[in-house]
Amino acid sequence: MTEKITRINPEQLHETPGYHHITVVEAGRTAYLAGQCPLDRNGDLVGSGFHETQVDQVVANALTALAAVSAQPEHVVRSVIYVRSDERDILGAAWRRLTESALGPTFTTASTLLGVAQLGFPRQLVEVDLTVALPD
């Protein structure tokens, strides 16, 4: 399926720190993953107050969700990253930790990084929403 995914950065648009402005997917099946939160298998929040620990749990959860649909990070065609902060350095640190993780190839596609005021669980600092072009 990855051969049916094309990532494009038009010369007329600004350079990016690794993601692409456009992702084109040829017709096929798509999976929409719910926002992956920093919760363990029991539903308990991991890493209260620590962005890095929460990013690591989100990565682990996202990899598990991808595996459940026989997909890899390379099959992700859209990501939205939510970080509870308005500090650019914290958003950048979350981006770097994600892109340097085993989930890293996910973020070479069309991606949005948002600083937000609140997420769904008390003390939650990070969430990642993924759209996947499923392999044949």
Side-chain angles (χ1 to χ4, degrees), residues 17 51-52 55 81-100 113-115 126:
H51 286 89
E52 299 85 0
V55 166
I81 304 153
Y82 303 91
V83 180
R84 186 175 173 197
S85 180
D86 63 355
E87 294 184 34
R88 190 175 193 81
D89 290 345
I90 291 175
L91 273 68
W95 172 260
R96 283 187 299 280
R97 192 157 188 103
L98 285 164
T99 60
E100 293 170 1
L113 173 64
L114 299 169
V126 180

Side-chain angles (χ1 to χ4, degrees), residues 25-108:
V25 181
E26 302 301 321
R29 295 180 335 126
T30 307
Y32 302 88
L33 278 58
Q36 297 300 298
C37 301
L39 304 178
D40 65 16
R41 185 180 177 122
N42 297 319
D44 296 322
L45 183 79
V46 172
S48 181
F50 297 97
H51 286 89
E52 299 85 0
T53 306
Q54 290 197 9
V55 166
D56 294 347
Q57 185 66 48
V58 165
V59 166
N61 293 350
L63 291 170
T64 298
L66 288 171
V69 292
S70 301
Q72 299 290 322
E74 294 81 6
H75 297 115
V76 173
V77 296
R78 176 87 173 111
S79 65
V80 181
I81 304 153
Y82 303 91
V83 180
R84 186 175 173 197
S85 180
D86 63 355
E87 294 184 34
R88 190 175 193 81
D89 290 345
I90 291 175
L91 273 68
W95 172 260
R96 283 187 299 280
R97 192 157 188 103
L98 285 164
T99 60
E100 293 170 1
S101 75
L103 195 60
T106 293
F107 306 106
T108 64

Side-chain angles (χ1 to χ4, degrees), residues 2 5-9 20 22-24 73-77 105-106 108-110:
T2 54
I5 301 170
T6 305
R7 294 169 173 89
I8 303 167
N9 277 329
H20 287 79
I22 304 164
T23 302
V24 178
E74 294 81 6
H75 297 115
V76 173
V77 296
T106 293
T108 64
T109 193

